[in-house]
Amino acid sequence: MVTQPQNGIGIVNGLSSLNSLKYLSSIRWVSAHEFGHCILMYVGGINLSWGHKGSTNVLLQNVKASSLGYPNQGKIDLMKYYNDTKNTANLKQRITRSEALEVDIKRLIWSSEVLWKD
């Protein structure tokens, strides 16, 4: 079962009864994930982006059986899908612990083609 949304609609509908702070946090989380696809597509192509860094099938977006479960503690990779049959995380944990990993931040900087002055 995929626990991260395949689009913003599912999570927004799922949070309609929660308070506005949680609602806004979820929209920011989904927006960050979707923006990340632009970066991953530019630097690594469709397999990196639509394949969620190898954690899903590119075409159908199904989580692969070989994908890891959610980590018990620490960072959750914003751009990966996790196999929640192996280990799950509730929505609050997914929102508060999700981060763009350092390698993805470097990809963003590299893709911006910034020219650094000495």
Side-chain angles (χ1 to χ4, degrees):
M1 180 174 147
V2 175
T3 57
Q4 285 187 316
Q6 292 184 18
N7 59 46
I9 295 171
I11 194 164
V12 170
N13 289 343
L15 292 174
S16 61
S17 64
L18 298 178
N19 68 41
S20 61
L21 180 60
K22 289 181 182 177
Y23 180 78
L24 288 174
S25 295
S26 68
I27 288 178
R28 289 180 184 133
W29 175 60
V30 172
S31 297
H33 174 85
E34 296 306 325
F35 177 75
H37 281 293
C38 299
I39 305 306
L40 295 181
M41 180 68 84
Y42 182 75
V43 301
I46 197 166
N47 288 327
L48 189 62
S49 177
W50 290 10
H52 297 94
K53 296 170 127 181
S55 63
T56 65
N57 171 286
V58 173
L59 186 59
L60 301 176
Q61 304 283 295
N62 297 330
V63 175
K64 294 179 178 178
S66 61
S67 293
L68 300 173
Y70 284 94
N72 288 323
Q73 55 187 329
K75 298 177 185 177
I76 294 175
D77 186 341
L78 178 67
M79 294 309 298
K80 279 189 176 180
Y81 279 13
Y82 290 88
N83 187 335
D84 67 358
T85 61
K86 295 178 180 176
N87 196 27
T88 190
N90 64 39
L91 182 60
K92 182 180 177 184
Q93 291 169 324
R94 291 183 301 188
I95 291 172
T96 58
R97 292 176 40 213
S98 288
E99 292 185 17
L101 298 187
E102 182 177 345
V103 66
D104 295 325
I105 294 169
K106 288 178 179 179
R107 288 172 172 149
L108 172 62
I109 294 168
W110 175 83
S111 69
S112 69
E113 300 180 17
V114 171
L115 299 176
W116 301 98
K117 292 185 179 186
D118 293 330

